[in-house]
Amino acid sequence: MSKKSLPTTQKQGKARLGDQIRSIADRLKQETDVQIQATSRILGAAAQIAENHDRLINEVVDIVESDLNAEKQVNQKHIYTVDILKQQFKTLRDAKVHFNLKVTSWESLANKLNTASCQTTIIQNKPQSNQGLADTNVINSEYNFNNIEKLTVFLEPDVAEMFPNSEAVNEALRFLIRVTSKNR
């Protein structure tokens, strides 16, 4: 049998089958195009997220470095010399009373103050009255700085809102340490 001798119904059936296959192929192509576009958008969004992440990390590093530099400048202001102490206080007795230290000379006072300021951070914000501290800038010479296992710090209210407990504060500080250590 030749092609010409096929009945008309068979020709129409093959034509419909061919149309259905073309239709399915067209839909698959359209779906593939949609998937390619979606994948392209997803990859673009992922690239943008990565770029934003890098930018934010850089901003955090800049902020931390700025804070560390500011802290370093503040700490440098707390370096005491005999001349500075003599300018601030009329007598050694006045200085000893102010710092609540027992020393025998201006030199030993300066040494104790500088040693203490290197080993601990002086809390600059006044504590709440129920904490019973008269002056947060007083450094007690009888306190053994080598035995510090835990350090109590006072967070300002806006900072405390962000950290529900000490574990959250420590984790944030560890993150900052990691970030700054990687960028040195």
Side-chain angles (χ1 to χ4, degrees):
M1 240 192 219
S2 71
K3 291 183 181 180
K4 293 182 181 180
S5 62
L6 287 175
T8 327
T9 56
Q10 284 183 341
K11 287 181 185 177
Q12 289 175 345
K14 283 187 177 183
R16 274 192 268 163
L17 182 60
D19 289 342
Q20 287 177 342
I21 291 172
R22 278 195 254 350
S23 174
I24 291 171
D26 287 342
R27 279 188 287 166
L28 287 174
K29 185 178 181 305
Q30 287 173 351
E31 287 179 14
T32 301
D33 289 344
V34 168
Q35 289 175 350
I36 289 171
Q37 288 175 353
T39 302
S40 176
R41 282 192 221 127
I42 290 169
L43 291 175
Q48 185 66 44
I49 289 169
E51 185 179 312
N52 290 342
H53 180 266
D54 289 344
R55 184 181 49 80
L56 289 173
I57 291 294
N58 289 336
E59 286 178 17
V60 167
V61 169
D62 290 345
I63 290 168
V64 170
E65 286 175 349
S66 172
D67 288 351
L68 289 174
N69 289 336
E71 183 179 327
K72 190 182 288 184
Q73 289 173 354
V74 167
N75 286 340
Q76 287 175 349
K77 292 177 186 175
H78 292 295
I79 295 175
Y80 295 98
T81 64
V82 172
D83 292 334
I84 290 172
L85 291 170
K86 284 183 176 179
Q87 288 173 4
Q88 286 181 325
F89 304 98
K90 291 182 181 180
T91 65
L92 177 60
R93 182 173 186 254
D94 291 341
K96 290 181 346 181
V97 168
H98 175 80
F99 291 109
N100 193 26
L101 292 173
K102 295 178 183 177
V103 293
T104 57
S105 68
W106 286 104
E107 291 82 11
S108 61
L109 177 62
N111 288 339
K112 279 192 176 188
L113 290 171
N114 289 329
T115 301
S117 68
C118 289
Q119 292 178 343
T120 185
T121 301
I122 299 172
I123 301 168
Q124 295 177 357
N125 300 321
K126 289 187 179 178
Q128 298 172 1
S129 60
N130 64 352
Q131 291 165 329
L133 296 177
D135 183 1
T136 57
N137 290 329
V138 173
I139 302 172
N140 187 346
S141 66
E142 297 169 6
Y143 188 85
N144 186 351
F145 292 104
N146 296 326
N147 290 331
I148 293 178
E149 290 181 15
K150 292 184 178 182
L151 178 66
T152 301
V153 295
F154 300 94
L155 302 177
E156 294 196 357
D158 61 321
V159 176
E161 281 181 16
M162 301 304 294
F163 299 99
N165 55 39
S166 61
E167 186 178 323
V169 174
N170 287 322
E171 185 59 34
L173 292 173
R174 285 185 188 103
F175 169 76
L176 290 176
I177 291 167
R178 285 192 305 272
V179 168
T180 56
S181 296
K182 288 180 181 178
N183 290 309
R184 285 188 179 188

